[in-house]
Amino acid sequence: MKIKNMPIAFRARSIALGLLVFLPLAGIGTSLSANIEGAYTAVTPTIEQARANILISRQLQFTHFRDQAINDELADEVFDDYLDYLDGQRVYLTQEDIRDFQPLKAEMAAALRTGQLQPGFEIYNRVQQRIIERMDYALGLLDDGLDQFDFSSDDEILLDRSETEWEPDQEALDKLWNKRIRNAVLGQRLNGSGDDEIIEVLTRRYESQRKRVSQMRSEDAFQAYMNAFTGTWDPHTNYFSPRNSENFNINMSLSLEGIGAVLQSDNEYTKVVRLVPGGPAARQGQLGPADRIVSVKQEDDDTPTNVIGWRLDEVVDLIRGPRGSTVTLEVVPANASDETVTRSIDIKRDKVKLEEQSASSEVIELERNGEKYLIGVIDIPTFYADFQAMQQGDPNYKSTTRDVRRLLEKLRNEQNVDGLVVDLRNNGGGALHEANDLVGLFIDQGPTVQIRSSDNQVQVLSDQDPSVAWDGPMVVLVNRMSASASEIFAGAIQDYGRGLVVGSQTFGKGTVQAVRSLNHGQLKITQSKFYRVSGGSTQHRGVIPDIEIPSRVDTTRIGEDALERALPWDQIEAVPHTRYFDFSGMIDELRDRHASRFDESPEFRLLQQEIDFLREQRKTTMVSLNEDQRRDYQQQLEHRQLTIANARREIKGEEPFESFEAMEEYEEQQAAEAHGNEDDELDFIVREGGHIMADMLELDRRMASILPVDTVTAKAE
């Protein structure tokens, strides 16, 4: 089936810490390497890695924002996270293996403090051997042909095994893998593949995974182990190997030349976090957040390369390529019913051009009770600045603030707009100083954001320019993908009472990282947190809109509060700031009017149908291994998707699709023409932002030019 669409006091822990690296590297725990036979060559730690382990331990204890000790309790978390990384779906190890690991777990705290890497390497080697055994078992089943499998039973398979126990022994694991193979075969059959093609595709997949394991190096084990360690502080603290340190931010490397996507590891998969505005993937329109990459194919290759189980940097290297060439990604869509449901996406590689990320404007005209309102809309895809041109003294260098100031002058002086909508949906952030300067376009002057470091010192960034580019009313549109600098801007506008925030709860990325060099690689470590001028942090909670609009995005999978061990929300003292308008007297009426419009809006009803459909799919925990039942289930899904697609076409005055296949063909054609899938949600939500603006003007004409009313000094509530 294809789917389209704290203060930390620096204190001495051990003055002899630096000498402990010379202890024997294999001196902890009972060695498990003896269980590893010729199929896999066990990897071993190096002296350089042991020294790096000690440096990482020091940095985490003495400079991270979160103050915690390396003790047995933390070691238990490292152990669990490490196993989650290596076998998150509980499909390789057994309970027997877990029992074998217990002596290593008991000594892990001391080992992490002193650079004794053997516990992590022993576990890593055992898992790699188990993966090879599973691949051999799967390939053996395929060699025997598909006729051996029963597709008429009432068997089911659990889609997400991350919360289950490991199987008790190899026999139970064999039964599980028999189900996994049947599920994979069914998925291919429902995609229209014949049995011979299915055997070829699955054989290639499992052989690729097996080959990848046989090529594992010491650095693979060390990086996995250290990231399980650093991740117990927070999800944004990471270790980068020397190879990755050449471009430590792998997430952003694809935005330079490639497809323009931010990626991260997610168990065996590489997952899309977000798309870079103006990038090839965003323009193409089919790849989306939370999609998981299964394979990568170059345009001159006949067969794709399966990348399940690959390191993130290796997947990045495959996706990168010459500008103008095409790469094909096979992905499991975020809304897929199970991991066997994939789609192929062709993306032409290119550079992300600054002008394609630039702020832009338009004017929408609304007629309300015989009166016309002109609403200016400024779309800001990211917070950008041409640093090179700035350093060279170019007086015309591009930046978010400079571009928005120019757009505001045109909207105010030439187009005479009555109100303003600033669209920050899908804006993942960018240059912090641009967020600070952009706030300054809408206030006289004053603080914009507070930054609290690990030593409890608070720095306040402020707008020092008393000039105001827009003093009229405004609405800021946000969604779950609005993060970091976007949250700083939206939070400041909300705290100052300069406008209303409309949309869905933002991402909640309110931490600041620094990169520190080690003797071997680098450590990206969280050292600060952002706080609003009202004192509340943007971390974890993000910005809560004044008027909420539901979103398709699954907040259980995307957002800071969906990440393990994300730093919590907290608050500090507010800093004095001006309050321009008190919306409390009209907010209830604004919400009522908004709700009435949405009750009558076909676009909103359609959006709600999509949200309900996706929510139902997410609730599906088991799928049938009965082929007839599975086909019926697929037909139901396809019917729901076709109904929603045709409802959208009806709203646009277009002819409905006659079949699901016709819908797929149309969407593939749209993608091939680089149009992407049109997103009607964007248009009607922008329009709704304009209506909310018109409501504000109707309810209080004083908003035509907002002036300061008081100064806020109290602590945030």
Side-chain angles (χ1 to χ4, degrees):
M1 172 183 170
K2 295 180 182 177
I3 295 181
K4 305 293 184 184
N5 10 301
M6 139 204 29
I8 300 178
F10 189 92
R11 50 193 179 274
R13 299 293 178 102
S14 171
I15 58 173
L17 191 61
L19 301 176
L20 295 176
V21 71
F22 298 107
L23 293 174
L25 288 174
I28 280 189
T30 302
S31 175
L32 304 177
S33 298
N35 296 322
I36 297 175
E37 300 174 355
Y40 169 71
T41 302
V43 296
T44 57
T46 68
I47 291 291
E48 289 77 14
Q49 291 167 348
R51 288 179 175 142
N53 178 183
I54 291 176
L55 292 173
I56 290 170
S57 298
R58 286 174 167 174
Q59 294 283 353
L60 291 172
Q61 291 180 93
F62 300 144
T63 65
H64 195 281
F65 193 89
R66 171 174 273 158
D67 185 10
Q68 62 182 8
I70 302 174
N71 51 26
D72 288 341
E73 182 179 349
L74 181 132
D76 287 348
E77 294 180 0
V78 175
F79 178 82
D80 291 341
D81 286 4
Y82 192 37
L83 291 181
D84 281 344
Y85 175 80
L86 296 174
D87 186 18
Q89 288 296 308
R90 275 69 166 153
V91 295
Y92 301 123
L93 298 172
T94 66
Q95 292 180 25
E96 295 173 352
D97 293 315
I98 304 304
R99 284 193 293 270
D100 286 345
F101 294 157
Q102 296 309 305
L104 300 173
K105 176 182 177 182
E107 300 180 26
M108 192 169 280
L112 288 168
R113 288 194 300 266
T114 60
Q116 295 289 330
L117 294 169
Q118 206 64 24
F121 275 69
E122 295 277 12
I123 293 170
Y124 188 87
N125 287 327
R126 172 72 70 90
V127 173
Q128 303 314 306
Q129 179 63 20
R130 293 292 183 248
I131 294 175
I132 286 179
E133 292 170 359
R134 286 299 106 202
M135 296 304 103
D136 288 344
Y137 179 78
L139 290 166
L141 288 178
L142 293 173
D143 284 343
D144 293 338
L146 303 187
D147 293 340
Q148 63 177 306
F149 295 116
D150 182 5
F151 294 104
S152 61
S153 71
D154 292 329
D155 288 348
E156 293 182 317
I157 188 169
L158 182 65
L159 294 176
D160 182 5
R161 291 178 46 84
S162 61
E163 300 299 324
T164 64
E165 295 293 331
W166 276 272
E167 296 296 334
D169 50 35
Q170 291 295 317
E171 183 180 355
L173 208 51
D174 286 346
K175 293 179 180 178
L176 171 62
W177 272 83
N178 184 287
K179 285 187 173 184
R180 285 173 61 85
I181 299 298
R182 278 189 280 163
N183 187 45
V185 170
L186 273 180
Q188 294 287 325
R189 280 183 178 175
L190 296 177
N191 270 338
S193 300
D195 284 359
D196 290 342
E197 182 184 358
I198 291 172
I199 291 176
E200 179 184 352
V201 168
L202 295 181
T203 297
R204 190 165 61 239
R205 176 184 299 180
Y206 298 133
E207 285 179 343
S208 174
Q209 285 184 253
R210 193 187 192 286
K211 180 180 179 181
R212 176 69 192 90
V213 172
S214 69
Q215 297 172 340
M216 290 297 183
R217 307 187 305 269
S218 173
E219 200 57 51
D220 298 314
F222 181 65
Q223 182 162 282
Y225 188 36
M226 285 301 99
N227 276 317
F229 180 33
T230 61
T232 57
W233 267 261
D234 88 299
H236 303 292
T237 295
N238 310 111
Y239 167 74
F240 297 135
S241 68
R243 180 167 180 255
N244 291 340
S245 294
E246 296 174 5
N247 188 350
F248 71 88
N249 193 348
I250 294 175
N251 285 346
M252 290 308 295
S253 66
L254 287 181
S255 71
L256 303 178
E257 185 159 316
I259 64 170
V262 177
L263 308 177
Q264 72 179 31
S265 293
D266 182 26
N267 290 318
E268 294 180 300
Y269 290 96
T270 297
K271 184 175 76 174
V272 179
V273 179
R274 64 179 177 86
L275 304 181
V276 177
R283 294 197 302 270
Q284 196 270 357
Q286 288 186 296
L287 194 67
D291 287 357
R292 291 173 291 169
I293 300 173
V294 174
S295 68
V296 179
K297 187 175 80 68
Q298 313 301 336
E299 62 183 1
D300 54 352
D301 288 345
D302 294 328
T303 58
T305 300
N306 183 276
V307 295
I308 297 176
W310 283 40
R311 292 194 316 265
L312 179 60
D313 61 308
E314 292 182 324
V315 179
V316 168
D317 287 344
L318 272 184
I319 296 176
R320 275 175 169 165
R323 183 178 180 181
S325 62
T326 298
V327 63
T328 301
L329 305 183
E330 180 188 5
V331 304
V332 178
N335 60 352
S337 55
D338 67 84
E339 64 184 20
T340 67
V341 178
T342 65
R343 65 180 174 194
S344 293
I345 302 173
D346 296 333
I347 303 174
K348 182 174 287 189
R349 300 179 176 103
D350 199 356
K351 287 186 176 180
V352 179
K353 300 175 182 177
L354 187 59
E355 57 267 26
E356 292 174 341
Q357 294 184 298
S358 298
S360 60
S361 68
E362 62 177 323
V363 177
I364 56 177
E365 184 177 313
L366 302 174
E367 187 165 342
R368 306 276 298 273
N369 301 319
E371 186 172 355
K372 288 184 179 180
Y373 292 90
L374 295 179
I375 309 299
V377 180
I378 295 182
D379 179 30
I380 305 176
T382 186
F383 286 86
Y384 56 89
D386 189 341
F387 292 106
Q388 183 176 359
M390 190 190 309
Q391 292 169 352
Q392 292 173 349
D394 184 347
N396 299 313
Y397 74 87
K398 286 184 67 62
S399 76
T400 301
T401 306
R402 292 165 69 100
D403 288 349
V404 171
R405 184 188 293 274
R406 175 177 49 81
L407 295 172
L408 287 172
E409 290 174 356
K410 182 178 180 181
L411 290 171
R412 185 185 63 243
N413 299 329
E414 298 178 24
Q415 297 169 305
N416 299 312
V417 296
D418 301 299
L420 178 70
V421 174
V422 176
D423 191 352
L424 294 181
R425 288 169 304 164
N426 304 317
N427 184 321
L432 173 61
H433 73 87
E434 286 299 320
N436 175 71
D437 292 349
L438 191 68
V439 174
L441 297 183
F442 304 97
I443 64 172
D444 292 331
Q445 57 186 159
T448 59
V449 65
Q450 303 184 77
I451 306 172
R452 178 187 171 208
S453 60
S454 58
D455 61 2
N456 212 27
Q457 298 297 308
V458 177
Q459 175 190 6
V460 179
L461 300 188
S462 298
D463 165 49
Q464 304 294 337
D465 185 354
S467 65
V468 176
W470 174 259
D471 64 357
M474 60 190 294
V475 163
V476 179
L477 295 179
V478 296
N479 64 7
R480 188 63 163 182
M481 303 310 297
S482 304
S484 195
S486 292
E487 297 175 290
I488 290 171
F489 177 82
I493 294 299
Q494 195 175 56
D495 289 342
Y496 273 92
R498 272 299 284 114
L500 287 181
V501 177
V502 174
S504 52
Q505 181 183 11
T506 61
F507 193 94
K509 172 65 167 65
T511 56
V512 186
Q513 286 71 42
V515 178
R516 293 178 173 265
S517 296
L518 307 168
N519 69 301
H520 185 81
Q522 291 179 313
L523 178 68
K524 179 163 69 76
I525 186 168
T526 298
Q527 294 186 308
S528 308
K529 284 176 75 172
F530 289 130
Y531 294 83
R532 294 163 58 157
V533 296
S534 57
S537 177
T538 57
Q539 169 62 15
H540 204 279
R541 184 179 293 183
V543 177
I544 308 299
D546 301 293
I547 297 177
E548 290 210 41
I549 297 177
S551 170
R552 300 183 183 99
V553 175
D554 182 2
T555 57
T556 66
R557 299 180 64 182
I558 297 176
E560 191 76 8
D561 54 4
L563 299 176
E564 288 286 333
R565 299 187 182 86
L567 293 182
W569 178 90
D570 63 344
Q571 61 183 6
I572 60 177
E573 290 292 330
V575 289
H577 61 280
T578 300
R579 185 78 179 175
Y580 284 81
F581 194 86
D582 181 4
F583 291 94
S584 61
M586 66 167 66
I587 191 64
D588 288 340
E589 176 66 18
L590 291 172
R591 289 169 179 159
D592 288 344
R593 291 189 180 195
H594 159 73
S596 296
R597 276 191 299 272
F598 265 28
D599 285 345
E600 300 172 1
S601 166
E603 293 103 326
F604 177 70
R605 287 197 296 269
L606 177 58
L607 173 61
Q608 196 60 58
Q609 285 182 40
E610 292 182 87
I611 292 171
D612 292 342
F613 172 58
L614 294 172
R615 188 174 293 134
E616 288 174 21
Q617 283 190 271
R618 292 165 193 151
K619 290 180 180 178
T620 302
T621 58
M622 307 281 289
V623 292
S624 173
L625 296 178
N626 180 296
E627 186 164 358
D628 292 336
Q629 293 178 19
R630 192 72 164 265
R631 287 191 185 278
D632 288 343
Y633 177 63
Q634 174 184 332
Q635 290 173 0
Q636 292 173 23
L637 293 180
E638 291 179 353
H639 176 72
R640 289 283 299 276
Q641 288 178 266
L642 181 61
T643 300
I644 290 171
N646 281 336
R648 179 181 293 113
R649 291 180 70 80
E650 182 181 353
I651 291 171
K652 296 164 66 177
E654 298 174 346
E655 290 294 318
F657 295 115
E658 293 184 359
S659 65
F660 183 81
E661 290 72 24
M663 182 190 75
E664 286 188 309
E665 183 178 348
Y666 172 81
E667 291 178 346
E668 287 175 353
Q669 180 182 354
Q670 289 291 97
E673 295 173 356
H675 293 160
N677 294 326
E678 296 180 15
D679 193 340
D680 298 290
E681 177 192 356
L682 303 185
D683 293 334
F684 95 86
I685 289 180
V686 167
R687 192 166 66 249
E688 176 60 20
H691 278 297
I692 292 172
M693 172 59 58
D695 289 339
M696 292 161 60
L697 290 168
E698 283 182 352
L699 291 172
D700 197 329
R701 291 292 177 179
R702 293 173 302 170
M703 298 202 70
S705 180
I706 298 179
L707 300 174
V709 294
D710 61 6
T711 299
V712 180
T713 59
K715 183 186 291 188
E717 295 179 0

